[in-house]
Amino acid sequence: MYNDNQLLSHVFYQPIQIMKLEELFCAKKDQSAYPFIIVLYEGNALCTQQGRKLQLSSNSVMFVDDVDDFYLLKASGSIGVVIQYRAYGPKLVSLLQDTTLMEHCSYRLMDLVKEIEREAKITVESNPFRLQKLFGEMLEELYHHLRTHKQQEDLWIDRVLNYMNLHFNEDLTREQMAEKAQVSPEHFSRTFHKHTGYTYSEYLTLLRIRESQKKLLLGMPKLDDLAQVVGYREGTYLSRKFKEIVGVSPTVYYQKSKRLIVLNANHTACLLALGITPVLGVYSPFLENIKSVPSSQKLKGYEYDITSNYKEIAVACPDVIINYSGGKEKQSLLSLAPIFELPCRQLSWREQFELIANLVDRREVYNHWLQQYDDQVAQCNQLLDRQLGARGTAIVWEIGSQAAYCLNSSHGRGSHILYEDLGFSRPDEIVTHNIEKTGYLTVDIEEIVHFPADYIFVTALPTKDFGKECLLTVLHSEKWQSLAAVQKKQVYFINQYELFYGYDPLSTAAQLQKLMEVLTS
């Protein structure tokens, strides 16, 4: 006996009737109760599907699942065929991923459909399986076309969206964008709506209003000036569009207290350092230890995941979303709020902290916090001057189960404190590997012996047996034992990954304290 889980999960499609396209005009509803496929060889046809008008042209295919919502309006002079089919399987799904219309189909597909027509007319069943075989080949060809076409669509949709994100303040028309995509304006509109959920003009308006909101986060310019910046001629029109999308006027939006959502732990920490708890934020284990917040204010997962958090973000009704730039989630979140983006790895933690402080109007708190930190750094340097004198070189390693990672200032992990605050320098061996440009260096665990430094810091150790064995072999090797840092007992196994992962004011202050603890012990 087999249970359902042991059976194949594929859906099987069986053709049950084939008719000429014009026969749909006189077909009774009970005759067309089954889903069907329209294949148009030549000419044009006009129909409605779910209240939306669609035009079919030569070499196009349309899939109709909800037959009660379909009406053929015009097909005079057109040549085409309708194939009704029935689906069998443990879990029925729409044919070919809910696709409605496929254009510019291959001649091979058209030839297959014509062969299906001919086979259906043969009354002598010399090969009773041939029709089914041809229908299967047709579906396979359609599936191949869909995948290829979707890849091409994704490419030009991405190009168009990227261009619009950069040039939304210009006089961009749908026809111009269709020309850039090298598709017809009609096809452009259908595909654009399918991918974004907006018409072209709606999306362009959304981009302009979101940019207006971002400008209003940092000041209140004259509306006419703001309108010119985002692509409108005058402030009255901007104000009307702004209120349609945001729900309040630009002036009210500027004055109101903002509901903030943060999509990474570093920027959550920036807000906490400024005395602000976001409506929703990402909290690392380190942040959870220093700031207790209700679970309702935490986004699921240490590493941000748009899929599992989108509903919570939408319900929270954010006024602004803070994140690193270039995230894939930007497109789907644009409908909810403006996204205040900070370039990842291009700005230091101090620069990111400052931008966020300006955003939430906490400049004085930022200055006070930073002054306290810099005073602490000065005290640390005085102590190190007395105990160590000239600093020498330092290297920071994270050792995983498969490889070792050497970090530079732009990736934090304590290296920014050593190199920028405490006066240590980078060893020549990592400088020659261009680490100041790349930000990090990945090597096999056995290779860490080839990167000598006066001081060696290991902020994370492997958690799996393979990595542990590799590291133990290295630590017992003659090469490792001969390193100056090992002989002078200037190797520090800190192994606090969660503490050193953060690149933000709170993590930096805690990392400074830990580094001083091991350096002066």
Side-chain angles (χ1 to χ4, degrees), residues 357-373:
N358 292 337
L359 172 71
V360 296
D361 197 22
R362 293 287 176 100
R363 183 78 190 191
E364 288 186 13
V365 179
Y366 159 79
N367 288 332
H368 179 69
W369 195 100
L370 208 59
Q371 186 60 56
Q372 284 190 316
Y373 175 78

Side-chain angles (χ1 to χ4, degrees), residues 198-213 216 223 226-227 230-251 253 335:
Y198 293 93
T199 65
Y200 172 74
S201 60
E202 287 171 344
Y203 189 80
L204 184 59
T205 299
L206 183 66
L207 288 177
R208 289 171 171 175
I209 298 307
R210 293 300 184 226
E211 183 64 19
S212 301
Q213 288 176 273
L216 290 168
L223 282 184
L226 181 58
V230 300
Y232 292 125
R233 289 189 175 88
E234 45 92 21
T236 306
Y237 185 77
L238 166 65
S239 185
R240 179 159 61 84
K241 288 293 182 182
F242 191 100
K243 194 166 184 178
E244 285 177 9
I245 290 177
V246 183
V248 296
S249 69
T251 304
Y253 179 80
S335 62

Side-chain angles (χ1 to χ4, degrees), residues 309-354:
N309 288 286
Y310 184 86
K311 184 177 179 181
E312 286 79 1
I313 295 172
V315 170
C317 301
D319 292 308
V320 60
I321 298 170
I322 303 174
N323 197 20
Y324 285 115
S325 59
K328 292 182 179 178
E329 63 275 358
K330 177 182 177 181
Q331 216 61 53
S332 56
L333 295 175
L334 199 63
S335 62
L336 302 179
I339 304 171
F340 191 79
E341 297 181 289
L342 295 107
C344 182
R345 309 304 174 200
Q346 295 175 24
L347 299 176
S348 69
W349 69 270
R350 291 171 181 261
E351 291 168 323
Q352 295 178 52
F353 190 24
E354 182 180 14

Side-chain angles (χ1 to χ4, degrees), residues 63 95-97 99 102 105 109 136-151:
F63 303 91
L95 185 61
L96 294 181
Q97 306 170 8
T99 302
M102 291 169 58
C105 295
L109 177 65
E137 289 180 13
M138 184 196 81
L139 294 181
E140 187 177 17
E141 183 69 20
L142 283 168
Y143 182 72
H144 174 73
H145 175 87
L146 175 65
R147 290 190 63 180
T148 305
H149 192 61
K150 187 177 185 306
Q151 290 170 355

Side-chain angles (χ1 to χ4, degrees), residues 140-386:
E140 187 177 17
E141 183 69 20
L142 283 168
Y143 182 72
H144 174 73
H145 175 87
L146 175 65
R147 290 190 63 180
T148 305
H149 192 61
K150 187 177 185 306
Q151 290 170 355
Q152 293 171 346
E153 272 187 358
D154 288 344
L155 286 174
W156 72 252
I157 278 287
D158 287 341
R159 286 201 309 271
V160 164
L161 292 177
N162 288 336
Y163 188 88
M164 291 178 70
N165 286 334
L166 293 172
H167 301 274
F168 60 84
N169 57 337
E170 299 174 11
D171 187 17
L172 301 180
T173 66
R174 181 193 68 155
E175 286 69 26
Q176 287 173 327
M177 292 296 98
E179 187 176 347
K180 281 188 176 296
Q182 296 182 326
V183 296
S184 70
E186 293 75 19
H187 179 67
F188 176 89
S189 293
R190 285 195 300 270
T191 307
F192 191 91
H193 187 272
K194 184 177 76 173
H195 279 256
T196 66
Y198 293 93
T199 65
Y200 172 74
S201 60
E202 287 171 344
Y203 189 80
L204 184 59
T205 299
L206 183 66
L207 288 177
R208 289 171 171 175
I209 298 307
R210 293 300 184 226
E211 183 64 19
S212 301
Q213 288 176 273
K214 286 198 282 187
K215 298 294 184 188
L216 290 168
L217 293 171
L218 302 173
M220 184 64 205
K222 293 180 179 178
L223 282 184
D224 283 340
D225 293 340
L226 181 58
Q228 294 287 335
V229 169
V230 300
Y232 292 125
R233 289 189 175 88
E234 45 92 21
T236 306
Y237 185 77
L238 166 65
S239 185
R240 179 159 61 84
K241 288 293 182 182
F242 191 100
K243 194 166 184 178
E244 285 177 9
I245 290 177
V246 183
V248 296
S249 69
T251 304
V252 171
Y253 179 80
Y254 170 72
Q255 293 172 343
K256 69 178 289 194
S257 178
K258 308 296 189 298
R259 294 175 61 81
L260 304 171
I261 289 181
V262 190
L263 305 188
N264 65 79
N266 289 333
H267 295 153
T268 298
C270 288
L271 286 176
L272 295 178
L274 295 167
I276 296 173
T277 303
V279 174
L280 283 174
V282 174
Y283 289 81
S284 65
F286 166 73
L287 287 182
E288 289 180 336
N289 287 332
I290 65 172
K291 175 68 177 179
S292 177
V293 297
S295 58
S296 60
Q297 289 181 253
K298 298 177 185 176
L299 288 167
K300 296 186 186 78
Y302 181 1
E303 298 295 336
Y304 175 70
D305 174 21
I306 179 65
T307 306
S308 61
N309 288 286
Y310 184 86
K311 184 177 179 181
E312 286 79 1
I313 295 172
V315 170
C317 301
D319 292 308
V320 60
I321 298 170
I322 303 174
N323 197 20
Y324 285 115
S325 59
K328 292 182 179 178
E329 63 275 358
K330 177 182 177 181
Q331 216 61 53
S332 56
L333 295 175
L334 199 63
S335 62
L336 302 179
I339 304 171
F340 191 79
E341 297 181 289
L342 295 107
C344 182
R345 309 304 174 200
Q346 295 175 24
L347 299 176
S348 69
W349 69 270
R350 291 171 181 261
E351 291 168 323
Q352 295 178 52
F353 190 24
E354 182 180 14
L355 286 172
I356 290 175
N358 292 337
L359 172 71
V360 296
D361 197 22
R362 293 287 176 100
R363 183 78 190 191
E364 288 186 13
V365 179
Y366 159 79
N367 288 332
H368 179 69
W369 195 100
L370 208 59
Q371 186 60 56
Q372 284 190 316
Y373 175 78
D374 287 337
D375 290 345
Q376 187 179 359
V377 168
Q379 293 172 12
C380 291
N381 276 311
Q382 289 175 4
L383 180 58
L384 292 178
D385 286 342
R386 292 195 299 268

Side-chain angles (χ1 to χ4, degrees), residues 20-32:
K20 297 290 186 184
L21 178 60
E22 57 268 21
E23 293 179 50
L24 269 184
F25 284 115
C26 53
K28 296 179 180 178
K29 279 292 179 183
D30 59 347
Q31 287 182 301
S32 59

Side-chain angles (χ1 to χ4, degrees), residues 224 293 377 448 464 469 491 511:
D224 283 340
V293 297
V377 168
I448 65 174
K464 295 184 179 178
E469 291 172 8
V491 179
Q511 291 165 17

Side-chain angles (χ1 to χ4, degrees), residues 21 37-46 55-62 75 77-82 105 110 113:
L21 178 60
I37 302 169
I38 298 175
V39 181
L40 193 65
Y41 302 134
E42 296 178 23
N44 293 283
L46 187 65
Q55 185 165 340
L56 285 72
S57 55
S58 300
N59 295 349
S60 62
V61 176
M62 182 174 180
S78 302
I79 302 174
V81 64
V82 178
C105 295
M110 296 297 128
V113 176

